[in-house]
Amino acid sequence: MNGNLYHLFQSRFPKDRGRVFIELADGHTYSYADLEDISGRYACLLGELGVEKGDRVAVQVEKSPEAVFLYLACLRAGAIYLPLNPAYTQSEVGYFLGDAEPRVVVCQTETEKAVTEVARKAGVAHLLTLGQNNDGSLPTRARGLAPIEGCCAAEPDDVAAILYTSGTTGRSKGGMLTHRNLGSNAQALHETWGFRPDDVLLHALPLFHTHGLFVATHCVLLNGTGMLFLPKFDAETVLRLLPRASVMMGVPTFYTRLLARADFTAESCAHMRLFISGSAPLLEETFHEFQTRTGHTILERYGMTETGMNTSNPLDGERRAGTVGFPLPGVEVRVCDDDGKPLEREEIGVLEVRGPNVFIGYWRMPEKTEAEIRPDGFFITGDVGKIDARGYVHIVGRAKDLIISGGFNVYPKEVELCIDRIAGVAESAVVGVPHPDFGEAVTAVVKRTPKSATPSAEDVIARCKTELANFKVPKQVHFVEDLPRNAMGKVQKNELRARFA
Ligand code: AMP
């Protein structure tokens, strides 16, 4: 049995290969036959460039159907796909190329000159370009080639992709994900979210991250159905396309942006079956507002680059605000103290996960791998949380975001939840900044709702005092227009710590 992930996908493609795989916002479509043809020709070109099993192919391009086909071509050729955020600077790209030593780099036509320079320094053998309109040397050179048949034989434990973690501190680490990791997770999600033969997914996520590349795209490929494919999230276009979609996956920001529009109504969602959220915490307020406005209950799930998805709220059964649901089939989740001793339900500690979804380690960093994967196979996620009495998993923050003030542990999430309940607050982020006396001082950064002049800093502090122990009450409160977020909607706490130190 071929363990190649593409082999699994192919077994699920529709018999009628003329069926739509991707439809763009302008109505242009690509069928499953196109998928097989284009990815087969790209795989042929990679072979001609000398790409062998296990060689890395680094790709820094904007989102396009061809970028999806290039990913599939790498699987088919047995190469290791290495996606890079187009926002990375040349010096960042230089680091990734030096570390991963890819045989081939694919970049945008616009960045060719600059990338050629860093690729040369890293000793990369071949550079190809791919524009957003099917232009560039990759599609041109692949045009006359004969598509390869099927895909090369792979073992389930062969590496299929390396995704560098966003790494807010220190060097970015390349998480090695195998065909088994990706395939098992895709199957668990496809089953858990009850994909149906008539489902149409609205895809507005980036393609360089686990969420858009794996979670969303793999569910569609396993379902053998189509997706409405947007270059990026744009509320106007999403609203226009929602009546033709049945499933949407998004980061919380997608949902708050939709709610900010008065023309987003229950009617807009009449054709929808499921809204899924992840990659960053969904505010309870957003969860409830969405429910009231549309009648739909957002399903929140939790995962990360190194593990794919770990938990999900149920499709049937209660989806609880502020929780990320239950472990997926085949995945074990436990909460431990710093020494790895499992804790009781309701106790807060670090989440650890084990299962076929968990990556095999960091590229060329055996010490880091050893430090984060326990001998019994549990991966230390670095997320702090608990499992409640009913078995729902809660996340209260990242271990590195934990604030230690005057020797007491403060979980930012608890303080944020208290502040978010104050009238006039849109959202908040709580961080620790250096303090001569307390070590770290709890500091709140608050975004008020539009046009609201309240609460004041004193109001926030007074309210926290009524609900929280004194050591958790913010010493300072700052107001901002917007919280800084990265492409996946995560609040950049490092930036806040630096700004308010
Ligand atoms: P990434 O590797 O970029 O996907 O980031 C993974 C991290 O995002 C996790 O370790 C969590 O800290 C966070 N995350 C993902 N999903 C959720 C969620 N539903 N709620 C809270 N945090 C989340």
Side-chain angles (χ1 to χ4, degrees), residues 12 29 42 110 126 129 142 148 150 175 177 204 209 220 238 291-293 392 405 411 427 433 447 454 473:
R12 311 285 283 265
T29 60
Y42 287 0
E110 296 80 10
H126 301 281
T129 57
I148 66 162
L177 295 152
H209 186 269
V220 172
V238 168
Q291 207 170 37
T292 310
R293 178 93 67 91
Y392 286 83
S405 189
Y411 297 106
E427 56 178 344
V433 301
K447 174 183 169 181
T454 58
V473 174

Side-chain angles (χ1 to χ4, degrees), residues 165-166 209-211 277-282 300-306 309 323-324 381-383 395 397-398 413 486 488 490:
T165 54
S166 15
H209 186 269
T210 183
H211 197 167
S277 177
S279 289
L282 181 74
E300 186 172 6
R301 88 325 176 256
Y302 154 67
M304 61 199 304
T305 303
E306 290 93 331
M309 300 303 105
T323 82
V324 292
T381 64
D383 287 312
I395 296 174
R398 295 281 303 161
K413 183 73 181 260
N486 71 9
M488 298 311 294
K490 291 185 218 297

